[in-house]
Amino acid sequence: MNTIAETGENKEMNSEELETGQEPIITPEKDEDPLANITGEETMEELMGIYDESFSSFEEGQVVKGTIIAVDKDHVLVDVGYKSEGQISIHEFRDEDGNLDVKLYDKVEVMVEVWDEETETVILSKEKAAKVKVWDAIKDIYEADGTIEGVITSRVKGGFSVDIGLPAFLPGSQADLRPIRNMDEMVGQTYTFKVLKYNRKRSNIVLSRRVILETERETARADTLEAIETGKVMEGIVKNITEYGVFVDLGGVDGLLHITDISWGRVKHPSELFSVADKINVKILSYDLEKERVSLGLKQLTPDPWTTAKDKYPVGSKVLGKVVSLTDYGAFVELEEGVEGLIHVSEMSWTRKVRHPSKIVSVGEEVEAVVLDLKPDNRRISLGIKQTVENPWEVISEKYPVGTVIEGKIKNITDFGLFIGIDDDIDGLVHISDISWTKRIKHPSEAYKKNDVVQAVVLDIDKASERFSLGIKQIQPDPWETVEERYKVGTEISGIVTNITDFGVFVELEEGIEGLVHVSEISKEKIKTPAGHYAIGDTLTARVMNINSDERRIGLSIKRLDEDEDETILKDFAKNMKPTTSSFGELLRDNLQEQIASQENKDEK
């Protein structure tokens, strides 16, 4: 690689030529010393001429060598062999940070900017002399098809600005083999370039890095094609990352590392594991040189973990893993890279009905589980969380035997009953039929609300079906057990009309205890419906006709009550009648006694 080197000869170029980009004028150095030819016979005028000739003569634009002899506030004085020193602006000796970089007696190459013999003024420039040398070097490099190093200083429209001693332009298309995603990353980097073209008059230099990379790639490609073979492990550089895999440069030949061949475990996106320019070792799975397709594998560099899963995770063993994914039906747990097990929602809790696994676990959480089933050939492991603790249904019957009175908070209310929280996430059900002995409850919310604390009796525990039955009404005695004692047949009772139907009238005898007066038992007269005869809220008196405690029914009769009244009147009348001498009186008395006897026989029946 060529770099900008020092020139071994003086080159001169006037300021006009420098601006137009013409070749500098090169003049040979003077080897003769005019003072060496003095004989002593010269006149004063001749001696003054010889003295003047002893000083070098320069032209504007000429590049010469000089020695730094002094530094002041504004200038650096340089001895170039003239009777007066040349001046260079102090700014040309300051670096980017403003620090002065100059030493006395240092040798420097400078270009003559102004040469005025009358005023003996010489203005010099170190920077312009350096530029002349750079242009010469660029010309030599271009003609020799060489390379040059430079630093990318900034981004400009269409590419980059590069410092190679002079500002040069690097088109974006020539910066790399493929489009660059983040061009800012190249700023400040040093690279090697080819000079595509230059124009000294326009101060235009165009560079290319891609040409060098293409040459290097073709050389590497030939070597790679000779070395590639199935099963071989090769080093490559990540070239591009997509959703479905990673393209790896094996050395002029690109191969695809598919996402399924990256790891035995789960990979959501290759960018989680790789970055562009990463160096990785891959295995050649297959290749087709004609179609230039190479399939690569990374996971194949390590054994398949499922080959040893049967020994590592026997059924019944406890394991630790990290939750890596959730679905509606369960949670996937990674036991090791490449080995995942499924915890079904039905295996997450003994007592709770888990609708979604997120209610129990979360992604990234470490959990303990028990191996329920293992099928290495299908790469499946079934796990359970609830098996890590004792099944509360196994001990619940011992803790709460039938007949035990418990107290709990209502957790949920449904159409068919109340769910009461007990402990260990076990809920007991109070069916709507077990809420009250006497009240007709259409919906449990009529009597209770959520979070009410209630007492209930354990009625039954079905461990197989995981059902815990409770009853609230069983805390109190069943009032129907003593109805026959409190409302004996034949007793006259009073109650409030609660309901009227076509077939009879319902009468509340006490809270929750009702009797029915059938339409046929309302009156001696035949009536089609009780409606119009009674109203809800009326007080009604009737006689108890029959009681069925099993079916919770009490039959009442108003008609029989009226008949009893008639019978009483007849009895009183018969008792109060005086003996008569007439046969008619005897006959009437006998007839009344027969009616009374007949009625008594009916009542007994």
Side-chain angles (χ1 to χ4, degrees), residues 12-54:
E12 56 183 0
M13 182 171 66
N14 58 39
S15 57
E16 182 178 354
E17 290 174 331
L18 182 63
E19 293 297 330
T20 58
Q22 295 179 359
E23 294 291 336
I25 301 172
I26 301 175
T27 58
E29 295 183 355
K30 296 181 180 180
D31 295 329
E32 296 182 1
D33 183 1
L35 297 177
N37 298 323
I38 296 177
T39 60
E41 298 180 354
E42 291 83 0
T43 63
M44 181 58 69
E45 185 176 349
E46 290 174 337
L47 287 173
M48 289 303 295
I50 294 173
Y51 175 75
D52 289 338
E53 290 178 3
S54 66

Side-chain angles (χ1 to χ4, degrees), residues 180-199:
I180 302 169
R181 292 185 178 180
N182 188 357
M183 299 179 71
D184 291 330
E185 291 182 353
M186 298 189 70
V187 176
Q189 301 295 322
T190 300
Y191 298 103
T192 302
F193 304 96
K194 278 272 191 179
V195 178
L196 290 185
K197 60 181 179 179
Y198 74 97
N199 189 312

